[in-house]
Amino acid sequence: MADAGPLIIIGGHEDKEGERVILKAVAERVQGRKLVIATVASHEPEGYFESYRKGFEGLGVGELVELYVEERSESQSEAALAILENAGGIFFSGGDQLRISSQIGDTPVERRIREMHASGAVIAGTSAGASVMSETMLVKGASSESYRIGELHMAPGLGLVRDVIIDQHFAERGRYGRLLGAVAHNPRLLGIGIDENTAVVVEGRRLRVLGSGAAYVVDGETATHSNIAEARSDRALSMFDVRMHVLSSGDRFDLDARRPSPGQDDHGARPPKTGS
Amino acid sequence: MADAGPLIIIGGHEDKEGERVILKAVAERVQGRKLVIATVASHEPEGYFESYRKGFEGLGVGELVELYVEERSESQSEAALAILENAGGIFFSGGDQLRISSQIGDTPVERRIREMHASGAVIAGTSAGASVMSETMLVKGASSESYRIGELHMAPGLGLVRDVIIDQHFAERGRYGRLLGAVAHNPRLLGIGIDENTAVVVEGRRLRVLGSGAAYVVDGETATHSNIAEARSDRALSMFDVRMHVLSSGDRFDLDARRPSPGQDDHGARPPKTGS
């Protein structure tokens, strides 16, 4: 049996016009095969596919095709499965993570995506497409404020990566409060917050950071106190002795050992020239 | 010799119309004596004094007077010293922390403030008035993004609290990136990030949190790696094994032992009703 393919989990707004470090990393792993741009997360997918068509131009991917489902029934159709046929990778664009999980969860399309991943295909996702990769995914919660008890919505995700919960647009939208809140619920899940134009590439149980920003790992194992189960609703969270790692381009992290290691490579560490 | 007075360090936008938990805490400690509202941080102080006059109404403080200096020379005048006479407290309003340090640093006014604090007067400060309390203060740095090497301005503050560096509007402006960056420079300084309408009350070397948000303590002592001295300018920060505490209303922290303890009291834990 082949090894599972890599996951490329992107914090949103990946550069599509400048150095394109993240799109290049996707393209390299697709190795000239077909790449499916899944725009399922969006309520209005117009323009998404086109922007990725331009973004991947000249990077050596094979055929580029769009997968969109308006209704859940389409995820049960032969037409949708035909789009996935012989693809070397799938790229989930942004929008609403709940659209992905509710429209394709437990359908033939989702099963096929799992099979493809298990046999080596690349699965990439940005923004909503990043969140949906975890087992339990963050759906909604306040940005730019500290976590308040009860103020967070989670739901089952695609579960392509175990024991982590992912947040995106991380520093840009001030989301450490809500990621800490998510981790406080059950520190079994490692919190991973990914900045814009930044990705974590998961191969096996190891990840490596790529792009211009940082990825934050929030490890609640060491936490000695939290008020999440006792405090009344709307009260601010208390949580003591959380371990945090700030990882930047080239840094690695072992998800099982929960240990970081510094990278030598700072490829792609500059912010993109474009406004993205 | 009397004990030093309390410091009330506020993350900005303290409630002035609703429960006024933080202003009440200031008033209680002023104990009916004169309170000086120092609007020095502002380039345009109009309106600040009036809003505090209303905010402190009915809370039992004595005379309320304004201290403003347009020019540094005024901080060397007898008139400015007369304003401080017999005051039980000083409240630094928001604006630019560099105005406070440059206009009153190393003047008779600053010396008098230190003497007053040493003999028991309350020193409160919000926003810029909070930042200026530390030995080395944060002056400028990007909000809502991860820290990039070189992207932070620090300057000497009033040094009323040793071995900490303070940031304000913390969750609201997404400033954990820059506070982590500040701590990375020298983990001797404990980073304290304070949310809006939230205060830390420092008495002796112990602090207690008050208000509707959280205070974040970033302790770099345990950090095992950082790239701050090696990486080229503009590269994102890496820092491993940082210890973080999220403290909410009632929680305490011992600045010397660097240890938190949970509070029972959740007085003031609700967000203010006003938009502040």
Side-chain angles (χ1 to χ4, degrees), chain B residues 78 80-82 84-86 90 107-119 121 123:
Chain B
E78 285 301 321
L81 291 174
L84 296 173
E85 208 160 358
N86 298 317
I90 300 174
T107 66
V109 159
E110 192 208 11
R111 282 189 286 279
R112 183 63 54 87
I113 290 170
R114 273 180 205 290
E115 286 162 16
M116 290 166 60
H117 178 234
S119 58
I123 316 284

Side-chain angles (χ1 to χ4, degrees), chain B residues 139-155:
Chain B
V139 177
K140 223 172 97 177
S143 294
S144 291
E145 56 177 76
S146 290
Y147 177 71
R148 296 188 175 280
I149 311 296
E151 226 189 35
L152 197 64
H153 297 259
M154 294 191 263

Side-chain angles (χ1 to χ4, degrees), chain B residues 70-238:
Chain B
E70 182 75 43
E71 282 287 354
R72 185 175 163 82
S73 58
E74 296 168 49
S75 303
Q76 296 154 341
S77 71
E78 285 301 321
L81 291 174
I83 290 170
L84 296 173
E85 208 160 358
N86 298 317
I90 300 174
F91 190 113
F92 286 95
S93 61
D96 177 357
Q97 44 269 53
L98 215 47
R99 260 206 114 250
I100 305 177
S101 62
S102 62
Q103 298 306 303
I104 75 166
D106 204 38
T107 66
V109 159
E110 192 208 11
R111 282 189 286 279
R112 183 63 54 87
I113 290 170
R114 273 180 205 290
E115 286 162 16
M116 290 166 60
H117 178 234
S119 58
V122 186
I123 316 284
T126 187
S127 194
S131 291
V132 81
M133 294 211 187
S134 47
E135 226 180 287
T136 301
M137 68 180 179
L138 262 165
V139 177
K140 223 172 97 177
S143 294
S144 291
E145 56 177 76
S146 290
Y147 177 71
R148 296 188 175 280
I149 311 296
E151 226 189 35
L152 197 64
H153 297 259
M154 294 191 263
L158 298 186
L160 295 169
V161 53
R162 277 181 299 113
D163 300 332
V164 308
I165 187 158
I166 293 161
D167 209 351
Q168 14 81 4
H169 301 283
F170 193 68
E172 292 79 6
R173 299 194 186 166
R175 286 178 163 175
Y176 58 105
R178 78 183 205 181
L179 187 61
L180 282 160
V183 169
H185 282 74
N186 187 345
R188 177 175 70 78
L189 299 187
L190 208 57
I192 302 185
I194 311 173
D195 285 353
E196 294 179 358
N197 193 37
T198 305
V200 305
V201 180
V202 182
E203 291 174 301
R205 290 287 290 168
R206 283 159 194 274
L207 67 82
R208 184 167 157 269
V209 177
L210 199 67
S212 64
Y216 294 76
V217 178
V218 175
D219 184 350
E221 190 192 356
T222 52
T224 53
H225 167 76
S226 124
N227 66 350
I228 198 161
E230 293 122 55
R232 62 173 164 68
S233 181
D234 208 36
R235 195 196 189 291
L237 176 75
S238 291

Side-chain angles (χ1 to χ4, degrees), chain A residues 146 148 195 212 238 248 251, chain B residues 146 148 195 212 235 238 251:
Chain A
S146 290
R148 295 188 174 280
D195 286 353
S212 65
S238 292
S248 65
D251 290 339
Chain B
S146 290
R148 296 188 175 280
D195 285 353
S212 64
R235 195 196 189 291
S238 291
D251 290 338

